[in-house]
């Protein structure tokens, strides 16, 4: 779904207000609810993406009377709208706390009673803003209490990544969810796919005829998809110690972006057709042999260093909650090959790291170099590059060669810029877009079970190999100095592209 800027004063393109719904949040006092969900729901009401007759039902362990105050405080801390002084009282009136423990059947009976209080509001969206280990418990109770049955209105379950820890656990979660609900009711949310710039990859590829003839192995040398962060592990150490950069970023976010770059045109703009083409890409990824992992994958961990402001940065293994001998990777890179007609022989490098020099995420399409240099006496033309900036400063950049002014044939590089964000307001947040899609039943931007399982299958040999390793190379925090990256990209024109 593509929507106009909410601050532009223009109507949204295909911006349909969904029917009223009961939005049930498990983990209603957690960090995700506080920082993302509640501010997003407020904006959705403000901009017509959520019917104000909807109810927001928060499941809290105790002190249900305090939940409204918790929400008020969260909005004042994390919502730009609330900070701007808008009246949030109407939004607070949409709140309905239900007290109980996730393991107790009485909690779900309380949810059922709350839903039945308004017979004209029959739809329900269940959002699991809880650790993944609780997903199957919640699903089981929803099924046992009859809450997931679509006798009246829809019933949709939203779960956050990680969707399993490996292939076996992902398959187990899927089987448990299917025991009580249909795959069409499950929305595996990945906020990366809600970014305007990521969605634009799809539109850019299939709504323009200019570059489609070039979008193949004959003209593209390689593709680099990156996600660099300046932050360290912060408060996420308990999760990150079990995950690492490969699971946290590459298996989910970046492999999803790769499928959008590499997929064939779907027959139409339907969720299943789009996801069918994404699965075809994953199934075409060249299997990685266990003894070849070191040739296509790299892991590293940040050591101490200094930030851009000169302040010292601690090493990962000295961060609170991190084991002193931790072998968790904070930087991961994998070079994939997609063995099909379009992409045979074209490397796709996916990499992500914490405590890098800059916070930036990009998709860079590096085109092949001109086959012959006509301009003797000067340097050969630099190959063209098309860059999709995912964050920050979302937009597209096309690097071209042009003649320098004056009596010379020397060349200079020009960068054509096309920013997404207009000057008169902010774009919709990823969670606003994705929640709106769930309410409409639009699943294009959500992972299907076979997508998840295929991605785990691809990286399984890497995980298996890395689990045997007890030491990692280190890179200085606040830099791009990652050992081994140049060697990993030895078959890519110009090597590692460090986003600037």
């Amino acid at each position: 779904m593509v929507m106009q800027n909410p601050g532009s004063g223009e109507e949204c393109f295909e911006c349909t207000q969904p029917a009223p719904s009961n939005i049930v949040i498990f983990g209603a006092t957690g960090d995700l609810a506080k920082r993302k969900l509640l501010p997003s729901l407020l904006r959705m009401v403000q901009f017509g993406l959520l019917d104000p007759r909807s109810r927001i039902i928060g499941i809290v362990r105790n002190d249900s009377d305090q939940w409204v105050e918790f929400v008020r405080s969260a909005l004042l801390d994390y919502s730009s709208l609330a900070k701007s002084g808008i009246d949030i009282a109407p939004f607070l009136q949409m709140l309905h706390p239900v007290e109980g423990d996730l393991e107790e059947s009485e909690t779900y009976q309380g949810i059922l009673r709350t839903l039945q209080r308004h017979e004209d509001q029959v739809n329900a969206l269940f959002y699991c803003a809880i650790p993944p280990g609780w997903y199957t418990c919640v699903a089981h109770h929803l099924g046992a209490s009859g809450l997931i049955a679509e006798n009246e209105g829809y019933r949709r379950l939203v779960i956050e990544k990680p969707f399993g820890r490996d292939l076996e656990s992902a398959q187990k979660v899927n089987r448990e969810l299917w025991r009580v609900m249909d795959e069409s009711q499950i929305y595996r949310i990945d906020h990366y796919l809600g970014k305007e710039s990521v969605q634009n990859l799809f539109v850019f590829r299939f709504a323009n005829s200019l570059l489609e003839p070039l979008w193949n192995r004959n003209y593209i040398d390689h593709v680099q998809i990156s996600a660099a962060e300046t932050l360290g592990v912060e408060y996420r150490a308990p999760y990150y110690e079990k995950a690492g950069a490969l699971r946290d970023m590459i298996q989910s976010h970046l492999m999803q972006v790769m499928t959008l770059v590499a997929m064939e045109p779907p027959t139409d703009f339907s969720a299943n057709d789009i996801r069918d083409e994404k699965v075809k890409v994953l199934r075409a990824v060249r299997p990685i042999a266990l003894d070849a992992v070191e040739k296509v994958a790299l892991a590293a961990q940040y050591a101490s260093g200094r930030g851009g402001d000169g302040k010292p940065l601690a090493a990962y293994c000295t961060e609170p909650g991190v084991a002193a001998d931790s072998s968790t990777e904070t930087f991961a890179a994998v070079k994939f090959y997609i063995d099909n007609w379009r992409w045979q022989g074209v490397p796709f490098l996916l990499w992500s790291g914490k405590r890098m020099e800059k916070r930036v995420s990009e998709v860079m399409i590096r085109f092949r170099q001109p086959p012959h240099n006509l301009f003797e006496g000067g340097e050969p033309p630099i190959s063209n590059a098309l860059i999709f900036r995912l964050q920050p400063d979302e937009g597209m950049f096309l690097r071209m060669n042009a003649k320098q002014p004056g009596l010379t044939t020397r060349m200079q590089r020009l960068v054509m810029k096309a920013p997404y964000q207009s000057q008169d307001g902010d774009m919709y947040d990823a969670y606003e877009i994705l929640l709106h899609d769930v309410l409409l039943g639009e699943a294009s931007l959500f992972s299907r079970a076979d997508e998840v399982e295929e991605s785990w299958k691809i990286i399984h040999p890497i995980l298996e190999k890395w689990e045997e390793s007890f030491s990692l190379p280190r890179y200085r925090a606040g830099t791009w100095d990652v050992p081994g990256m140049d060697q990993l990209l030895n078959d890519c024109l110009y090597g590692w592209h460090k986003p600037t």
Side-chain angles (χ1 to χ4, degrees):
M1 180 184 61
V2 180
M3 297 185 291
Q4 291 286 343
N5 189 312
S8 66
E10 301 176 7
E11 291 187 1
C12 299
F13 174 67
E14 294 185 3
C15 180
T16 305
Q17 185 178 86
S21 183
N22 295 284
I23 300 172
V24 182
I25 303 176
F26 296 99
T29 59
D31 199 66
L32 177 61
K34 177 172 62 177
R35 293 172 179 265
K36 293 293 185 181
L37 297 184
L38 294 168
S40 293
L41 290 169
L42 175 63
R43 276 174 56 93
M44 290 174 70
V45 173
Q46 187 73 10
F47 294 118
L49 304 182
L50 178 63
D51 193 304
R53 293 172 294 171
S54 299
R55 292 182 296 172
I56 301 170
I57 301 169
I59 312 307
V60 296
R61 186 180 294 273
N62 47 45
D63 294 330
S64 59
D65 293 340
Q66 300 299 315
W67 186 57
V68 174
E69 189 54 40
F70 168 86
V71 174
R72 184 197 306 275
S73 177
L75 293 175
L76 291 175
D77 286 340
Y78 296 104
S79 167
S80 58
L81 278 180
K83 291 178 181 179
S84 70
I86 71 159
D87 182 13
I88 62 174
F91 180 80
L92 297 178
Q93 292 174 2
M94 298 170 64
L95 304 178
H96 297 265
V98 171
E99 192 170 313
D101 192 282
L102 298 184
E103 294 180 292
E104 297 176 356
S105 57
E106 177 56 32
T107 303
Y108 301 85
Q109 293 303 314
I111 297 172
L112 188 59
R113 289 191 294 270
T114 303
L115 297 186
Q116 292 171 342
R117 287 176 193 164
H118 295 272
E119 295 181 356
D120 59 332
Q121 297 178 16
V122 295
N123 299 317
L125 182 163
F126 302 100
Y127 200 112
C128 289
I130 51 179
W134 287 97
Y135 293 165
T136 54
C137 171
V138 168
H140 169 76
H141 281 290
L142 289 175
S145 62
L147 280 165
I148 208 69
E150 294 185 318
N151 301 323
E152 290 185 282
Y154 63 70
R155 296 291 186 270
R156 294 167 187 159
L157 179 73
V158 181
I159 60 175
E160 287 267 351
K161 78 171 191 72
F163 313 124
R165 176 175 169 78
D166 50 27
L167 176 60
E168 183 179 356
S169 59
Q171 291 172 330
K172 181 178 179 182
V173 170
N174 286 335
R175 287 195 301 267
E176 291 298 319
L177 293 178
W178 291 336
R179 290 180 188 275
V180 295
M181 66 188 73
D182 188 77
E183 172 67 22
S184 64
Q185 296 176 277
I186 305 169
Y187 289 73
R188 298 171 186 82
I189 193 168
D190 183 341
H191 75 273
Y192 232 69
L193 296 188
K195 294 179 181 293
E196 287 281 2
S197 46
V198 174
Q199 294 177 69
N200 197 59
L201 280 169
F202 189 87
V203 177
F204 182 84
R205 281 203 56 198
F206 302 123
N208 297 292
S209 60
L210 179 64
L211 286 176
E212 179 58 26
L214 311 179
W215 211 260
N216 57 62
R217 59 188 170 83
N218 296 320
Y219 297 97
I220 293 176
D221 180 81
H222 70 274
V223 178
Q224 296 190 36
I225 303 174
S226 60
E229 302 177 69
T230 55
L231 293 176
V233 69
E234 304 297 309
Y235 58 90
R236 300 177 69 212
Y239 160 75
Y240 204 83
E241 272 286 83
K242 298 177 182 178
L246 183 64
R247 287 185 174 95
D248 186 46
M249 291 297 297
I250 292 180
Q251 180 274 332
S252 53
H253 301 326
L254 301 191
M255 290 184 74
Q256 285 285 324
V257 174
M258 182 180 74
T259 61
L260 294 177
V261 174
M263 66 187 283
E264 296 296 325
T267 54
D268 62 34
F269 194 65
S270 68
N272 274 333
D273 281 347
I274 291 171
R275 295 189 291 186
D276 284 346
E277 296 301 331
K278 292 167 66 180
V279 170
K280 288 179 185 177
V281 172
L282 294 173
R283 287 177 178 165
V285 172
R286 185 181 302 171
I288 300 171
L290 199 62
D291 59 0
V293 168
E294 293 181 355
K295 297 178 182 178
V296 297
L298 183 149
Q301 186 185 98
Y302 66 80
S304 59
R306 291 191 177 274
D309 56 4
K311 293 183 179 179
L313 301 172
Y316 175 77
C317 59
T318 65
E319 299 273 21
V322 174
D325 60 348
S326 174
S327 59
T328 300
E329 79 282 359
T330 60
F331 180 97
V334 184
K335 186 167 59 176
F336 296 110
Y337 291 91
I338 300 171
D339 289 337
N340 61 18
W341 188 270
R342 183 184 291 266
W343 297 112
Q344 188 69 36
V346 177
F348 280 72
L349 179 82
L350 279 55
W351 66 267
S352 177
K354 290 185 173 295
R355 286 290 190 220
M356 307 303 291
E357 186 173 312
K358 292 184 180 294
R359 173 184 174 266
V360 58
S361 297
E362 293 182 345
V363 176
M364 187 200 68
I365 314 295
R366 173 71 73 184
F367 292 93
R368 294 189 181 278
Q369 206 157 16
H372 176 62
N373 181 20
L374 295 174
F375 310 101
E376 294 184 6
E379 295 181 358
I382 297 174
S383 71
N384 304 127
L386 178 62
I387 296 173
F388 294 85
R389 176 67 60 83
L390 308 183
Q391 66 179 17
D393 307 322
E394 295 90 340
M396 293 186 297
F397 306 85
L398 179 61
R399 294 179 176 176
M400 304 278 288
N401 294 299
K403 176 183 171 297
Q404 290 183 3
L407 302 176
T408 179
T409 58
R410 290 186 177 277
M411 288 173 289
Q412 62 179 340
R413 185 173 67 176
L414 298 181
V415 180
M416 302 172 65
K417 302 178 181 180
Y420 295 152
Q421 188 168 342
S422 68
Q423 297 179 353
D424 44 12
D426 296 328
M427 293 186 293
Y428 285 106
D429 178 81
Y431 275 96
E432 296 160 26
I433 293 171
L434 294 172
L435 282 168
H436 184 248
D437 276 5
V438 178
L439 292 167
L440 291 175
E442 171 53 60
S444 300
L445 298 177
F446 297 84
S447 300
R448 202 168 59 189
D450 52 352
E451 289 182 71
V452 173
E453 293 181 10
E454 287 294 334
S455 62
W456 280 120
K457 189 183 301 182
I458 291 167
I459 70 164
H460 176 76
I462 305 174
L463 292 172
E464 186 177 351
K465 184 70 174 180
W466 286 0
E467 284 177 359
E468 300 173 1
S469 174
F470 294 95
S471 62
L472 286 173
R474 302 294 196 267
Y475 60 96
R476 286 187 299 117
T479 72
W480 300 115
D481 299 335
V482 180
M485 278 297 284
D486 292 332
Q487 291 84 350
L488 185 64
L489 278 87
N490 56 8
D491 58 346
C492 296
L493 190 61
Y494 304 126
W496 185 21
H497 167 71
K498 304 176 183 67
T500 59

